[in-house]
Amino acid sequence: MFKRPYWLGKILAAWEKRPIAWLAGVRRVGKTTLAKMIPDALYLNCDLPSDVGRLDDPEFFFRSIPGGTRVVLDEIHRLADPSRVLKIAADSFPSLRILATGSSTLAATKKFRDSLTGRKIEIRLPPVLWTESGAAFGIADLDRRLLHGGLPEFLLAKTKDGSLFTEWMDGFYARDIQELFAVRERTGFLNLFRLMLRQSGGLADYSALARECDISRPTVKSFLEALGTALSLAAVPPFHGGSRREIIKRPKVYGFDTGFVTHAQGRSGLRDEDRGLLWEHLVLDVLRDVAGPENVHFWRNKSGAEVDFVVRKGGDVWAVECKLSPQGFSPKGLAAFRDLHPGGKNFMVSPFPAEPHERQFGGLTVGITGLDGLAKRLAG
């Protein structure tokens, strides 16, 4: 079994602060495997009637196990009233430590009548991060990670198997979208999802998407909200400080996984022009994990100058450019951004940099680093 110490550490750290850790992630991203790595945990699979039956009387169940027990409730959204089970555990048995897993954020379904404020910490498990790909899975080939994606089974496959992606899409719609969001327009929904994957990293234009998918503009907004809640799309809002020169409305929308992006684009291999944008996806996964999704933005002005990502770090604003190689890097976007927003650090992050160092571009200081180094700086 592959070890994932980074994510186990996040679960244990969450339990130091709250009795419940909510582990969210798309199907087959590795939630169950990770949950079973927790030592000395009592594991219940809420897809199994026998385990669901044990939770019919939550108070009796929790009273029957020793205080301090680590309990895994896998796929808890399958229960009729999952928030009641978690609320009883947190309020009446605070010495227990509960890991609940689901395919979406906690508020995805009306079954969760209680948001469990003050009782839980949410951990979002993305596809395998580039920062753990080599150490945890033995995959240090960037092209393979970009082409196959980061769902463990897909990443470890010797060749890219299109049937795996098709099977995943069918299961995603049937078990997650239909059940959690009661979406009935299968064709329109999946057409929109595939289109967003093909256009991953681009600005969202609701009207254009509605025309292309032959659905209404409100339906597009509703479907995109469901896809975001189900963690299959990541909307990155624009950063702005009030200047009329800045783009302030449309978000960039990224597909959750580079393997699905390349599959939707019909790629069996990578072209030189594909790698840069796909690398952005891997950087985004780490930024959202370390800094929090609410703190990650992009920046663009009406003259076309842009910065890949802007991260709020305390009272500062960090600017991050994603480049496959430091060679030939142009600081024009960073310079335009800093003319309007002068406070904060600047970084150029590359998959295979030399030792982290700084370069001067006129009066602009830019840190050249790998993704590991950037993550450590953000976490510090």
Side-chain angles (χ1 to χ4, degrees), residues 2-288:
F2 296 98
K3 296 182 179 180
R4 306 190 73 178
Y6 175 75
W7 294 103
L8 286 173
K10 292 199 76 162
I11 294 170
L12 296 176
W15 278 338
E16 291 292 323
K17 299 176 182 178
R18 297 286 190 273
I20 297 171
W22 175 265
L23 182 65
V26 300
R27 55 192 295 103
R28 295 165 77 172
V29 78
K31 300 185 299 297
T32 296
T33 303
L34 178 61
K36 289 181 176 180
M37 292 179 184
I38 298 171
D40 303 319
L42 174 61
Y43 175 85
L44 275 73
N45 180 355
C46 297
D47 262 332
L48 296 179
S50 57
D51 283 352
V52 171
R54 297 178 68 182
L55 294 167
D56 283 343
D57 185 341
E59 182 181 0
F60 176 81
F61 171 74
F62 292 128
R63 199 177 297 281
S64 70
I65 58 181
T69 299
R70 297 168 173 176
V71 182
V72 174
L73 302 177
D74 200 8
E75 299 293 329
I76 193 174
H77 56 277
R78 305 296 178 200
L79 299 180
D81 192 354
S83 58
R84 174 173 173 265
V85 173
L86 294 176
K87 190 172 185 294
I88 289 172
D91 293 350
S92 301
F93 303 91
S95 68
L96 296 177
R97 289 296 175 263
I98 310 294
L99 177 69
T101 82
S103 297
S104 54
T105 60
L106 186 62
T109 170
K110 293 179 181 179
K111 286 184 179 181
F112 286 92
R113 302 180 182 91
D114 192 306
S115 63
L116 304 173
T117 302
R119 302 178 181 92
K120 58 93 174 55
I121 289 180
E122 184 168 299
I123 301 168
R124 299 187 181 193
L125 182 65
V128 174
L129 298 173
W130 178 242
T131 50
E132 63 169 343
S133 180
F137 290 85
I139 305 296
D141 180 342
L142 179 64
D143 274 8
R144 178 169 174 174
R145 172 60 185 84
L146 295 176
L147 184 64
H148 287 222
L151 300 191
E153 179 186 0
F154 295 45
L155 176 62
L156 294 170
K158 291 183 179 180
T159 59
K160 185 169 183 175
D161 184 351
S163 66
L164 290 176
F165 294 87
T166 301
E167 179 189 359
W168 186 96
M169 293 286 277
D170 289 341
F172 171 67
Y173 177 79
R175 287 180 58 85
D176 297 329
I177 298 302
Q178 262 194 318
E179 290 186 15
L180 294 178
F181 303 100
V183 171
R184 296 292 178 257
E185 297 180 49
R186 183 180 189 277
T187 299
F189 181 88
L190 290 179
N191 283 345
L192 177 64
F193 187 23
R194 293 188 186 101
L195 180 60
M196 298 308 298
L197 290 171
R198 289 197 298 274
Q199 298 179 356
S200 185
L203 295 176
D205 182 334
Y206 296 145
S207 297
L209 292 169
R211 288 193 299 271
E212 185 137 3
C213 296
D214 195 25
I215 55 180
S216 70
R217 194 173 187 275
T219 300
V220 167
K221 295 182 72 173
S222 173
F223 285 177
L224 290 181
E225 182 178 349
L227 286 163
T229 303
L231 305 178
S232 52
L233 292 179
V236 180
F239 180 90
H240 58 90
S243 170
R244 293 182 179 179
R245 290 180 285 165
E246 296 175 311
I247 289 178
I248 63 174
K249 291 185 178 180
R250 293 181 185 173
K252 277 187 175 182
V253 180
Y254 289 81
F256 76 100
D257 177 66
T258 59
F260 280 81
V261 170
T262 56
H263 176 71
Q265 293 173 344
R267 302 273 182 257
S268 57
L270 296 180
R271 305 170 303 176
D272 289 342
E273 58 266 34
D274 296 329
R275 294 183 177 88
L277 180 57
L278 293 173
W279 171 239
E280 276 186 36
H281 289 67
L282 301 194
V283 175
L284 177 61
D285 284 345
V286 170
L287 293 180
R288 284 168 58 88

Side-chain angles (χ1 to χ4, degrees), residues 299-372:
W299 180 83
R300 182 180 295 179
N301 68 17
K302 294 178 181 178
S303 299
E306 60 183 319
V307 173
D308 292 330
F309 298 114
V310 172
V311 183
R312 296 184 185 273
K313 168 72 171 171
D316 292 331
V317 177
W318 290 15
V320 178
E321 290 279 56
C322 310
K323 301 296 178 187
L324 290 176
S325 170
Q327 304 301 318
F329 169 66
S330 170
K332 288 183 179 180
L334 288 175
F337 177 73
R338 288 304 178 197
D339 281 344
L340 295 175
H341 308 286
K345 298 180 182 298
N346 308 301
F347 294 94
M348 198 231 50
V349 58
S350 168
F352 303 111
E355 288 297 315
H357 60 285
E358 291 185 343
R359 288 178 60 186
Q360 292 291 323
F361 297 88
L364 200 65
T365 301
V366 180
I368 313 296
T369 184
L371 201 41
D372 273 311

